[in-house]
Protein backbone atom coordinates (compact mmCIF):
# COMPACT_ATOMS: atom_id res chain seq x y z
CA UNK A 1 0.00 0.00 0.00
CA UNK A 2 1.31 3.48 -0.86
CA UNK A 3 1.71 6.26 1.64
CA UNK A 4 2.50 9.93 1.39
CA UNK A 5 5.45 11.14 3.44
CA UNK A 6 5.12 14.85 4.20
CA UNK A 7 7.61 17.08 6.02
CA UNK A 8 5.98 20.24 7.29
CA UNK A 9 7.04 23.75 8.11
CA UNK A 10 7.68 25.05 4.60
CA UNK A 11 5.43 27.96 3.46
CA UNK A 12 3.99 27.05 0.04
CA UNK A 13 4.96 29.45 -2.73
CA UNK A 14 4.28 29.65 -6.45
CA UNK A 15 1.45 28.80 -8.81
CA UNK A 16 -0.82 25.77 -8.84
CA UNK A 17 -3.33 24.99 -11.58
CA UNK A 18 -6.64 23.39 -10.71
CA UNK A 19 -7.90 20.42 -12.77
CA UNK A 20 -11.39 19.77 -14.15
CA UNK A 21 -14.00 18.95 -11.51
CA UNK A 22 -14.34 15.29 -10.54
CA UNK A 23 -17.94 15.78 -9.43
CA UNK A 24 -18.84 17.45 -12.72
CA UNK A 25 -17.14 14.98 -15.04
CA UNK A 26 -18.58 11.82 -13.45
CA UNK A 27 -22.25 12.55 -14.26
CA UNK A 28 -21.25 14.04 -17.63
CA UNK A 29 -19.53 10.77 -18.60
CA UNK A 30 -22.75 8.99 -17.60
CA UNK A 31 -24.79 11.49 -19.66
CA UNK A 32 -22.77 10.50 -22.75
CA UNK A 33 -24.85 7.29 -22.67
CA UNK A 34 -27.82 9.39 -23.83
CA UNK A 35 -26.64 9.78 -27.43
CA UNK A 36 -25.53 7.43 -30.20
CA UNK A 37 -23.22 10.16 -31.53
CA UNK A 38 -19.62 10.82 -30.38
CA UNK A 39 -18.94 13.13 -27.46
CA UNK A 40 -15.67 14.92 -26.66
CA UNK A 41 -14.80 16.12 -23.16
CA UNK A 42 -11.88 18.42 -22.32
CA UNK A 43 -10.17 19.17 -18.99
CA UNK A 44 -10.94 15.68 -17.74
CA UNK A 45 -8.79 14.97 -14.68
CA UNK A 46 -6.78 11.74 -14.48
CA UNK A 47 -8.34 10.20 -11.41
CA UNK A 48 -9.17 6.71 -10.25
CA UNK A 49 -12.90 7.57 -10.11
CA UNK A 50 -12.88 8.94 -13.67
CA UNK A 51 -11.22 5.74 -14.92
CA UNK A 52 -13.78 3.67 -13.03
CA UNK A 53 -16.68 5.59 -14.59
CA UNK A 54 -15.06 5.03 -17.99
CA UNK A 55 -14.91 1.30 -17.28
CA UNK A 56 -18.56 1.26 -16.17
CA UNK A 57 -19.80 2.79 -19.44
CA UNK A 58 -17.43 0.58 -21.46
CA UNK A 59 -19.10 -2.42 -19.85
CA UNK A 60 -22.41 -1.02 -21.16
CA UNK A 61 -21.11 -0.71 -24.74
CA UNK A 62 -19.25 2.63 -24.86
CA UNK A 63 -15.97 3.18 -26.65
CA UNK A 64 -13.79 5.42 -24.48
CA UNK A 65 -10.50 6.89 -25.60
CA UNK A 66 -8.29 9.20 -23.56
CA UNK A 67 -5.50 11.39 -24.85
CA UNK A 68 -4.06 13.71 -22.21
CA UNK A 69 -6.93 15.54 -20.58
CA UNK A 70 -9.31 14.82 -23.46
CA UNK A 71 -11.83 12.00 -23.38
CA UNK A 72 -13.69 10.79 -26.45
CA UNK A 73 -16.78 8.71 -25.82
CA UNK A 74 -18.95 6.97 -28.38
CA UNK A 75 -21.95 4.85 -27.42
CA UNK A 76 -23.30 3.78 -30.82
CA UNK A 77 -25.29 0.97 -29.19
CA UNK A 78 -26.06 0.02 -25.62
CA UNK A 79 -24.71 -3.54 -25.51
CA UNK A 80 -25.71 -4.31 -21.94
CA UNK A 81 -28.12 -2.74 -19.46
CA UNK A 82 -26.47 -4.25 -16.37
CA UNK A 83 -23.64 -2.38 -14.64
CA UNK A 84 -21.03 -4.84 -13.31
CA UNK A 85 -21.17 -5.26 -9.54
CA UNK A 86 -17.38 -5.21 -9.05
CA UNK A 87 -17.14 -1.72 -10.61
CA UNK A 88 -20.26 -0.27 -8.97
CA UNK A 89 -19.14 -1.54 -5.56
CA UNK A 90 -15.89 0.42 -5.96
CA UNK A 91 -17.60 3.70 -6.74
CA UNK A 92 -20.92 4.84 -5.35
CA UNK A 93 -21.15 7.68 -7.88
CA UNK A 94 -21.74 5.10 -10.62
CA UNK A 95 -25.46 5.13 -9.70
CA UNK A 96 -25.81 8.15 -11.98
CA UNK A 97 -25.88 5.77 -14.94
CA UNK A 98 -29.45 4.87 -13.90
CA UNK A 99 -31.10 7.97 -15.33
CA UNK A 100 -29.43 7.93 -18.77
CA UNK A 101 -29.75 4.15 -19.32
CA UNK A 102 -33.38 4.18 -18.32
CA UNK A 103 -34.01 7.15 -20.63
CA UNK A 104 -32.29 5.56 -23.62
CA UNK A 105 -33.11 1.86 -23.18
CA UNK A 106 -36.12 1.82 -20.86
CA UNK A 107 -34.27 -0.47 -18.46
CA UNK A 108 -31.25 -0.59 -16.14
CA UNK A 109 -29.90 -3.15 -13.68
CA UNK A 110 -27.38 -2.05 -11.08
CA UNK A 111 -26.29 -3.49 -7.77
CA UNK A 112 -27.46 -1.47 -4.78
CA UNK A 113 -24.46 0.74 -3.93
CA UNK A 114 -24.79 0.41 -0.14
CA UNK A 115 -23.02 2.70 2.31
CA UNK A 116 -19.51 4.07 2.66
CA UNK A 117 -17.23 5.52 5.31
CA UNK A 118 -19.12 8.81 5.59
CA UNK A 119 -22.55 7.33 6.26
CA UNK A 120 -25.22 4.93 5.08
CA UNK A 121 -25.92 7.08 1.97
CA UNK A 122 -29.30 5.77 0.81
CA UNK A 123 -30.58 6.37 -2.74
CA UNK A 124 -34.29 6.58 -1.90
CA UNK A 125 -34.70 10.04 -3.48
CA UNK A 126 -33.11 8.88 -6.74
CA UNK A 127 -35.60 6.01 -6.89
CA UNK A 128 -38.57 8.13 -5.84
CA UNK A 129 -37.81 10.54 -8.69
CA UNK A 130 -37.44 7.79 -11.29
CA UNK A 131 -40.70 6.22 -10.08
CA UNK A 132 -42.45 9.56 -10.44
CA UNK A 133 -41.28 9.58 -14.07
CA UNK A 134 -43.03 6.23 -14.54
CA UNK A 135 -40.27 3.69 -13.77
CA UNK A 136 -40.97 0.44 -11.98
CA UNK A 137 -38.25 -0.27 -9.38
CA UNK A 138 -37.62 -3.79 -8.08
CA UNK A 139 -34.93 -5.38 -5.93
CA UNK A 140 -33.71 -8.67 -7.36
CA UNK A 141 -30.84 -10.63 -5.72
CA UNK A 142 -29.07 -7.44 -4.59
CA UNK A 143 -29.66 -5.73 -7.93
CA UNK A 144 -32.01 -2.85 -8.58
CA UNK A 145 -34.01 -3.61 -11.69
CA UNK A 146 -35.58 -0.42 -12.99
CA UNK A 147 -37.70 -0.28 -16.13
CA UNK A 148 -40.39 1.76 -17.83
CA UNK A 149 -41.25 4.28 -20.49
CA UNK A 150 -40.70 7.67 -18.94
CA UNK A 151 -43.05 10.66 -19.04
CA UNK A 152 -42.60 14.12 -17.55
CA UNK A 153 -43.78 14.69 -13.97
CA UNK A 154 -43.70 17.17 -11.12
CA UNK A 155 -41.16 15.99 -8.55
CA UNK A 156 -40.40 17.52 -5.18
CA UNK A 157 -37.13 16.40 -3.58
CA UNK A 158 -37.33 16.11 0.23
CA UNK A 159 -33.69 17.24 0.29
CA UNK A 160 -31.69 18.84 -2.55
CA UNK A 161 -29.53 15.76 -3.18
CA UNK A 162 -26.86 16.30 -5.82
CA UNK A 163 -26.91 12.73 -7.18
CA UNK A 164 -30.72 12.50 -7.21
CA UNK A 165 -31.00 15.84 -9.06
CA UNK A 166 -28.52 14.57 -11.66
CA UNK A 167 -30.18 11.17 -12.13
CA UNK A 168 -33.64 12.72 -12.49
CA UNK A 169 -32.43 15.42 -14.92
CA UNK A 170 -30.75 12.81 -17.12
CA UNK A 171 -33.80 10.56 -17.06
CA UNK A 172 -36.16 13.43 -17.86
CA UNK A 173 -34.35 14.82 -20.92
CA UNK A 174 -35.72 12.04 -23.16
CA UNK A 175 -39.05 11.58 -21.34
CA UNK A 176 -42.29 12.54 -23.05
CA UNK A 177 -43.53 15.90 -21.76
CA UNK A 178 -42.31 18.34 -19.13
CA UNK A 179 -40.66 17.57 -15.80
CA UNK A 180 -40.51 20.10 -12.99
CA UNK A 181 -37.97 19.27 -10.31
CA UNK A 182 -38.53 21.28 -7.13
CA UNK A 183 -36.05 21.70 -4.27
CA UNK A 184 -33.33 20.65 -6.70
CA UNK A 185 -29.64 20.78 -5.81
CA UNK A 186 -28.00 24.05 -6.98
CA UNK A 187 -24.32 23.02 -7.01
CA UNK A 188 -22.14 24.31 -9.89
CA UNK A 189 -21.71 20.70 -11.05
CA UNK A 190 -25.49 20.55 -11.69
CA UNK A 191 -25.18 23.62 -13.90
CA UNK A 192 -22.27 22.05 -15.81
CA UNK A 193 -24.32 18.90 -16.41
CA UNK A 194 -27.33 20.96 -17.57
CA UNK A 195 -25.08 22.93 -19.96
CA UNK A 196 -23.71 19.69 -21.37
CA UNK A 197 -27.22 18.26 -21.83
CA UNK A 198 -28.38 21.46 -23.53
CA UNK A 199 -25.35 21.37 -25.85
CA UNK A 200 -26.58 17.88 -26.82
CA UNK A 201 -29.97 19.35 -27.70
CA UNK A 202 -31.82 18.88 -24.40
CA UNK A 203 -34.18 21.53 -23.02
CA UNK A 204 -33.18 22.09 -19.40
CA UNK A 205 -33.93 25.44 -17.75
CA UNK A 206 -33.32 26.74 -14.24
CA UNK A 207 -30.26 24.66 -13.30
CA UNK A 208 -28.45 26.48 -10.50
CA UNK A 209 -31.80 27.45 -8.91
CA UNK A 210 -34.08 25.27 -6.81
CA UNK A 211 -36.55 24.67 -9.66
CA UNK A 212 -35.40 22.90 -12.81
CA UNK A 213 -37.74 22.50 -15.79
CA UNK A 214 -37.01 19.91 -18.44
CA UNK A 215 -38.94 19.60 -21.69
CA UNK A 216 -38.32 16.11 -23.03
CA UNK A 217 -36.91 15.80 -26.56
CA UNK A 218 -36.91 12.81 -28.94
CA UNK A 219 -33.15 12.37 -29.20
CA UNK A 220 -29.85 13.98 -28.32
CA UNK A 221 -26.79 14.56 -30.46
CA UNK A 222 -23.02 14.50 -29.89
CA UNK A 223 -21.13 17.55 -28.66
CA UNK A 224 -17.84 18.73 -27.20
CA UNK A 225 -17.64 20.24 -23.75
CA UNK A 226 -14.99 21.56 -21.35
CA UNK A 227 -15.41 20.52 -17.71
CA UNK A 228 -15.56 23.31 -15.08
CA UNK A 229 -12.61 23.69 -12.66
CA UNK A 230 -12.75 21.66 -9.46
CA UNK A 231 -13.85 24.07 -6.71
CA UNK A 232 -13.00 21.56 -3.98
CA UNK A 233 -9.48 20.97 -5.28
CA UNK A 234 -9.05 24.76 -5.59
CA UNK A 235 -10.34 25.25 -2.04
CA UNK A 236 -7.98 22.58 -0.73
CA UNK A 237 -4.90 24.30 -2.21
CA UNK A 238 -6.08 27.72 -1.02
CA UNK A 239 -6.43 26.36 2.52
CA UNK A 240 -3.01 24.64 2.34
CA UNK A 241 -1.43 27.96 1.34
CA UNK A 242 -3.26 29.73 4.19
CA UNK A 243 -2.23 27.17 6.81
CA UNK A 244 1.46 27.17 5.86
CA UNK A 245 1.73 30.98 5.70
CA UNK A 246 2.36 30.76 1.98
CA UNK A 247 2.06 32.96 -1.09
CA UNK A 248 0.29 30.97 -3.78
CA UNK A 249 -1.63 31.81 -6.94
CA UNK A 250 -4.34 29.21 -7.54
CA UNK A 251 -5.17 29.26 -11.26
CA UNK A 252 -8.18 27.97 -13.17
CA UNK A 253 -10.82 28.80 -10.56
CA UNK A 254 -14.30 30.26 -10.78
CA UNK A 255 -14.23 32.35 -7.62
CA UNK A 256 -18.05 32.56 -7.39
CA UNK A 257 -18.05 28.81 -6.82
CA UNK A 258 -15.82 29.35 -3.78
CA UNK A 259 -17.71 32.25 -2.19
CA UNK A 260 -18.80 30.46 1.01
CA UNK A 261 -15.21 29.42 1.79
CA UNK A 262 -13.71 32.77 0.80
CA UNK A 263 -16.20 34.55 3.08
CA UNK A 264 -15.03 32.41 6.00
CA UNK A 265 -11.38 33.12 5.16
CA UNK A 266 -12.14 36.83 5.23
CA UNK A 267 -13.79 36.42 8.63
CA UNK A 268 -10.71 34.53 9.84
CA UNK A 269 -8.45 37.38 8.65
CA UNK A 270 -6.62 35.41 5.95
CA UNK A 271 -5.48 37.78 3.18
CA UNK A 272 -6.28 36.87 -0.43
CA UNK A 273 -7.21 38.67 -3.60
CA UNK A 274 -8.88 37.79 -6.85
CA UNK A 275 -6.54 38.34 -9.77
CA UNK A 276 -7.15 38.05 -13.52
CA UNK A 277 -5.81 34.52 -13.65
CA UNK A 278 -6.86 33.14 -10.29
CA UNK A 279 -6.97 33.66 -6.53
CA UNK A 280 -3.79 34.67 -4.71
CA UNK A 281 -3.33 33.87 -1.02
CA UNK A 282 -0.59 35.66 0.83
CA UNK A 283 -0.85 34.43 4.37
CA UNK A 284 1.43 34.91 7.36
CA UNK A 285 0.01 31.71 8.79
CA UNK A 286 -1.90 33.57 11.56
CA UNK A 287 -5.69 33.69 11.59
CA UNK A 288 -8.66 33.80 13.93
CA UNK A 289 -10.88 30.81 14.64
CA UNK A 290 -14.34 30.97 12.99
CA UNK A 291 -17.42 28.76 13.06
CA UNK A 292 -18.53 26.87 9.97
CA UNK A 293 -21.68 24.91 9.23
CA UNK A 294 -21.87 22.74 6.14
CA UNK A 295 -24.92 23.18 3.95
CA UNK A 296 -26.01 22.49 0.41
CA UNK A 297 -24.83 25.02 -2.19
CA UNK A 298 -24.54 28.00 -1.85
CA UNK A 299 -23.74 27.13 1.78
CA UNK A 300 -20.34 25.98 3.02
CA UNK A 301 -19.49 22.77 1.12
CA UNK A 302 -19.25 19.56 3.13
CA UNK A 303 -16.31 18.52 0.93
CA UNK A 304 -14.22 21.37 2.38
CA UNK A 305 -15.25 20.76 5.98
CA UNK A 306 -12.30 18.44 6.80
CA UNK A 307 -9.57 20.66 5.27
CA UNK A 308 -11.10 23.75 6.94
CA UNK A 309 -11.13 21.96 10.29
CA UNK A 310 -7.45 21.10 9.84
CA UNK A 311 -6.82 24.82 9.21
CA UNK A 312 -8.80 25.77 12.35
CA UNK A 313 -6.78 23.39 14.47
CA UNK A 314 -3.98 25.99 14.33
CA UNK A 315 -6.21 29.10 14.49
CA UNK A 316 -6.35 31.61 17.36
CA UNK A 317 -9.26 30.72 19.62
CA UNK A 318 -12.13 28.26 19.42
CA UNK A 319 -14.16 27.40 16.33
CA UNK A 320 -17.25 25.24 15.95
CA UNK A 321 -17.64 22.97 12.92
CA UNK A 322 -21.17 21.69 12.33
CA UNK A 323 -21.71 18.97 9.72
CA UNK A 324 -25.31 18.89 8.50
CA UNK A 325 -25.02 17.09 5.14
CA UNK A 326 -23.49 13.72 6.06
CA UNK A 327 -24.09 11.74 9.23
CA UNK A 328 -20.52 10.54 9.83
CA UNK A 329 -17.97 12.89 8.41
CA UNK A 330 -15.58 13.44 11.31
CA UNK A 331 -13.17 10.54 10.69
CA UNK A 332 -10.29 12.97 10.34
CA UNK A 333 -10.72 14.21 13.93
CA UNK A 334 -8.90 11.37 15.71
CA UNK A 335 -6.08 11.58 13.16
CA UNK A 336 -5.73 15.36 13.63
CA UNK A 337 -5.65 14.76 17.38
CA UNK A 338 -2.70 12.37 16.87
CA UNK A 339 -0.91 15.37 15.38
CA UNK A 340 -1.64 17.48 18.47
CA UNK A 341 -4.98 19.11 17.55
CA UNK A 342 -7.45 19.83 20.37
CA UNK A 343 -10.89 18.81 19.07
CA UNK A 344 -13.99 17.50 20.86
CA UNK A 345 -16.99 16.00 19.08
CA UNK A 346 -20.53 16.43 20.34
CA UNK A 347 -22.92 14.79 17.90
CA UNK A 348 -22.67 16.64 14.62
CA UNK A 349 -20.55 19.44 16.10
CA UNK A 350 -16.77 19.48 16.47
CA UNK A 351 -15.30 22.05 18.84
CA UNK A 352 -11.82 23.01 17.71
CA UNK A 353 -9.54 24.81 20.14
CA UNK A 354 -6.60 26.20 18.19
CA UNK A 355 -3.14 24.99 19.29
CA UNK A 356 0.18 26.76 18.65
CA UNK A 357 1.64 23.87 16.70
CA UNK A 358 0.88 20.47 15.18
CA UNK A 359 3.50 17.73 15.09
CA UNK A 360 4.10 15.12 12.38
CA UNK A 361 2.68 11.64 13.04
CA UNK A 362 1.66 8.47 11.20
CA UNK A 363 -2.01 8.97 10.24
CA UNK A 364 -4.61 7.31 8.04
CA UNK A 365 -7.06 8.91 5.59
CA UNK A 366 -10.43 7.20 5.84
CA UNK A 367 -11.92 9.09 2.90
CA UNK A 368 -10.96 11.50 0.15
CA UNK A 369 -11.48 14.84 1.90
CA UNK A 370 -10.10 13.52 5.21
CA UNK A 371 -6.97 12.82 3.14
CA UNK A 372 -6.77 16.46 1.99
CA UNK A 373 -7.19 17.58 5.61
CA UNK A 374 -4.31 15.38 6.76
CA UNK A 375 -2.03 16.62 3.97
CA UNK A 376 -2.85 20.21 4.98
CA UNK A 377 -2.13 19.45 8.64
CA UNK A 378 1.10 17.63 7.76
CA UNK A 379 2.33 20.53 5.59
CA UNK A 380 1.84 22.95 8.47
CA UNK A 381 3.14 20.63 11.21
CA UNK A 382 6.60 20.31 12.71
CA UNK A 383 8.39 17.19 11.55
CA UNK A 384 7.38 14.37 9.23
CA UNK A 385 4.01 12.64 8.82
CA UNK A 386 3.23 9.40 7.03
CA UNK A 387 -0.25 9.40 5.53
CA UNK A 388 -1.80 6.03 4.67
CA UNK A 389 -5.08 5.53 2.83
CA UNK A 390 -3.65 7.23 -0.29
CA UNK A 391 -6.05 5.25 -2.49
CA UNK A 392 -8.82 7.55 -1.23
CA UNK A 393 -6.82 10.69 -2.07
CA UNK A 394 -6.13 9.41 -5.62
CA UNK A 395 -9.88 9.28 -6.25
CA UNK A 396 -10.17 13.06 -6.28
CA UNK A 397 -6.84 14.92 -6.42
CA UNK A 398 -4.97 14.79 -9.73
CA UNK A 399 -1.15 14.49 -9.45
CA UNK A 400 -1.31 15.75 -5.88
CA UNK A 401 2.30 15.24 -4.89
CA UNK A 402 3.60 16.81 -8.13
CA UNK A 403 1.36 19.86 -7.64
CA UNK A 404 2.37 20.31 -3.99
CA UNK A 405 6.07 19.77 -4.76
CA UNK A 406 5.92 22.45 -7.46
CA UNK A 407 4.80 25.01 -4.86
CA UNK A 408 7.56 24.04 -2.46
CA UNK A 409 5.85 21.46 -0.25
CA UNK A 410 7.98 18.53 0.87
CA UNK A 411 5.97 15.46 -0.06
CA UNK A 412 6.78 12.11 -1.63
CA UNK A 413 4.97 8.88 -2.34
CA UNK A 414 6.33 5.61 -1.00
CA UNK A 415 5.02 2.31 -2.26
C1 LIG B 1 -22.24 14.55 -4.06
C2 LIG B 1 -20.74 14.64 -4.26
C3 LIG B 1 -20.02 14.63 -2.91
C4 LIG B 1 -20.59 15.73 -2.00
C5 LIG B 1 -22.11 15.63 -1.91
C6 LIG B 1 -22.73 16.78 -1.13
C7 LIG B 1 -20.39 13.53 -6.38
C8 LIG B 1 -19.83 12.37 -7.12
N1 LIG B 1 -20.30 13.50 -5.04
O1 LIG B 1 -22.52 13.30 -3.44
O2 LIG B 1 -18.64 14.86 -3.14
O3 LIG B 1 -20.04 15.57 -0.70
O4 LIG B 1 -22.68 15.64 -3.24
O5 LIG B 1 -22.37 18.00 -1.70
O6 LIG B 1 -20.88 14.49 -6.98
N2 LIG B 1 -29.29 11.11 0.69
C9 LIG B 1 -30.37 10.33 1.05
N3 LIG B 1 -31.11 9.73 0.06
C10 LIG B 1 -30.81 9.88 -1.26
C11 LIG B 1 -29.71 10.69 -1.62
C12 LIG B 1 -28.97 11.30 -0.63
O7 LIG B 1 -30.66 10.17 2.23
O8 LIG B 1 -31.52 9.32 -2.12
C13 LIG B 1 -28.49 11.79 1.74
C14 LIG B 1 -27.04 11.33 1.77
O9 LIG B 1 -26.89 10.15 2.54
C15 LIG B 1 -26.33 12.52 2.36
C16 LIG B 1 -27.13 13.70 1.81
O10 LIG B 1 -28.39 13.17 1.40
O11 LIG B 1 -26.43 12.51 3.76
C17 LIG B 1 -26.47 14.42 0.64
O12 LIG B 1 -26.24 13.51 -0.41
P1 LIG B 1 -26.14 13.93 -1.95
O13 LIG B 1 -26.36 15.39 -2.12
O14 LIG B 1 -27.01 13.00 -2.72
O15 LIG B 1 -24.62 13.61 -2.26
P2 LIG B 1 -24.01 12.74 -3.42
O16 LIG B 1 -24.68 13.05 -4.70
O17 LIG B 1 -23.93 11.32 -2.98
Amino acid sequence: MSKLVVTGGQPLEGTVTVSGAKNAVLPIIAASLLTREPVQLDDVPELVDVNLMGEVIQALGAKVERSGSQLKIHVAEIANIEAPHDLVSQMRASIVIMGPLLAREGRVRISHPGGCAIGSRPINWHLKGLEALGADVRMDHGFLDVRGTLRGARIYLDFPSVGATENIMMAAVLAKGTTTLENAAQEPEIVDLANFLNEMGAKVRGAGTSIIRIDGVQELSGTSHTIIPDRIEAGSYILMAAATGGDVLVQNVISDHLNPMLAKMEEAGIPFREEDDGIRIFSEGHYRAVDIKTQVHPGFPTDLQAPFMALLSKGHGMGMVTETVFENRFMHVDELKRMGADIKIEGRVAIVQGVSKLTGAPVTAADLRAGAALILAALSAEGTSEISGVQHIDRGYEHIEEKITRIGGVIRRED
Side-chain angles (χ1 to χ4, degrees):
M1 278 285 172
S2 315
K3 55 189 171 188
L4 290 173
V5 182
V6 181
T7 302
Q10 203 61 32
L12 299 181
E13 272 174 19
T15 300
V16 62
T17 304
V18 172
S19 303
K22 168 180 89 76
N23 288 351
V25 77
L26 295 177
I28 286 176
I29 292 174
S32 307
L33 292 166
L34 285 162
T35 175
R36 57 184 71 248
E37 294 181 11
V39 161
Q40 179 183 309
L41 304 177
D42 286 288
D43 273 5
V44 176
E46 257 182 68
L47 297 170
V48 171
D49 276 11
V50 173
N51 294 341
L52 276 171
M53 190 59 101
E55 284 179 47
V56 171
I57 65 162
Q58 273 173 301
L60 304 173
K63 286 207 176 79
V64 181
E65 216 179 285
R66 182 190 265 278
S67 76
S69 63
Q70 187 176 82
L71 210 58
K72 286 188 175 148
I73 300 173
H74 190 190
V75 199
E77 300 269 347
I78 301 283
N80 183 7
I81 50 95
E82 182 172 306
H85 170 70
D86 59 322
L87 293 175
V88 173
S89 61
Q90 288 179 61
M91 187 178 57
R92 217 190 153 274
S94 48
I95 49 167
V96 292
I97 61 148
M98 276 199 298
L101 263 191
L102 191 58
R104 181 156 162 190
E105 290 295 301
R107 188 169 174 203
V108 53
R109 270 175 68 84
I110 184 167
S111 59
H112 198 292
C116 69
I118 60 175
S120 68
R121 298 185 81 172
I123 55 165
N124 51 320
W125 298 319
H126 298 239
L127 300 178
K128 195 177 143 194
L130 297 179
E131 279 176 331
L133 292 171
D136 176 41
V137 179
R138 290 186 194 182
M139 258 311 253
D140 167 26
H141 295 89
F143 272 78
L144 283 161
D145 195 321
V146 185
R147 54 180 99 183
T149 307
L150 305 184
R151 42 173 168 63
R154 181 171 169 204
I155 301 167
Y156 175 84
L157 283 179
D158 293 322
F159 177 87
S161 151
V162 172
T165 300
E166 291 165 348
N167 245 333
I168 295 167
M169 257 166 67
M170 291 188 279
V173 283
L174 291 178
K176 200 168 167 40
T178 299
T179 298
T180 309
L181 181 56
E182 294 173 17
N183 201 26
Q186 303 177 41
E187 270 67 3
E189 293 75 20
I190 302 285
V191 178
D192 205 30
L193 174 62
N195 288 341
F196 175 71
L197 293 168
N198 287 340
E199 286 152 20
M200 293 167 96
K203 294 201 169 129
V204 180
R205 282 170 295 151
T209 75
S210 64
I211 300 181
I212 301 179
R213 285 198 178 80
I214 303 148
D215 291 322
V217 296
Q218 291 249 305
E219 59 177 7
L220 295 175
S221 54
T223 187
S224 52
H225 180 83
T226 302
I227 305 297
I228 54 167
D230 195 313
R231 64 195 165 103
I232 308 300
E233 189 199 10
S236 303
Y237 287 122
I238 289 172
L239 295 176
M240 285 178 204
T244 59
D247 183 345
V248 174
L249 174 66
V250 182
Q251 280 183 326
N252 193 32
V253 290
I254 299 175
S255 55
D256 275 359
H257 294 175
L258 281 160
N259 276 343
M261 189 194 82
L262 296 176
K264 282 293 165 183
M265 283 176 46
E266 220 162 85
E267 201 181 317
I270 299 167
F272 66 90
R273 97 179 142 241
E274 289 175 34
E275 297 189 351
D276 288 346
D277 51 350
I279 296 177
R280 177 178 217 109
I281 305 89
F282 39 102
S283 159
E284 296 288 329
H286 306 295
Y287 40 87
R288 292 185 288 279
V290 293
D291 296 339
I292 60 165
K293 186 176 189 177
T294 65
Q295 273 163 347
V296 296
H297 194 77
F300 192 96
T302 173
D303 286 347
L304 285 172
Q305 178 259 106
F308 207 92
M309 192 192 295
L311 176 91
L312 287 179
S313 64
K314 271 184 60 186
H316 292 293
M318 195 188 80
M320 269 195 343
V321 175
T322 309
E323 173 59 57
T324 75
V325 179
F326 286 104
E327 61 190 34
N328 181 22
R329 210 172 199 185
F330 282 151
M331 281 95 52
H332 44 287
V333 169
D334 280 342
E335 303 305 298
L336 291 173
K337 282 163 81 172
R338 293 162 60 80
M339 299 177 75
D342 179 355
I343 306 173
K344 286 185 197 68
I345 299 180
E346 283 178 17
R348 289 191 161 202
V349 180
I351 300 156
V352 187
Q353 177 64 55
V355 294
S356 60
K357 67 169 188 184
L358 297 175
T359 45
V363 287
T364 303
D367 80 0
L368 170 58
R369 307 304 171 185
L374 296 176
I375 293 176
L376 182 153
L379 286 169
S380 66
E382 264 181 33
T384 298
S385 301
E386 287 187 359
I387 303 172
S388 317
V390 182
Q391 70 278 12
H392 297 296
I393 298 170
D394 289 338
R395 303 183 73 141
Y397 289 90
E398 188 178 40
H399 308 147
I400 189 155
E401 62 272 33
E402 284 92 334
K403 288 191 183 186
I404 292 177
T405 304
R406 241 178 276 140
I407 49 175
V410 182
I411 181 169
R412 67 172 199 278
R413 185 178 291 247
E414 269 184 12
D415 288 316

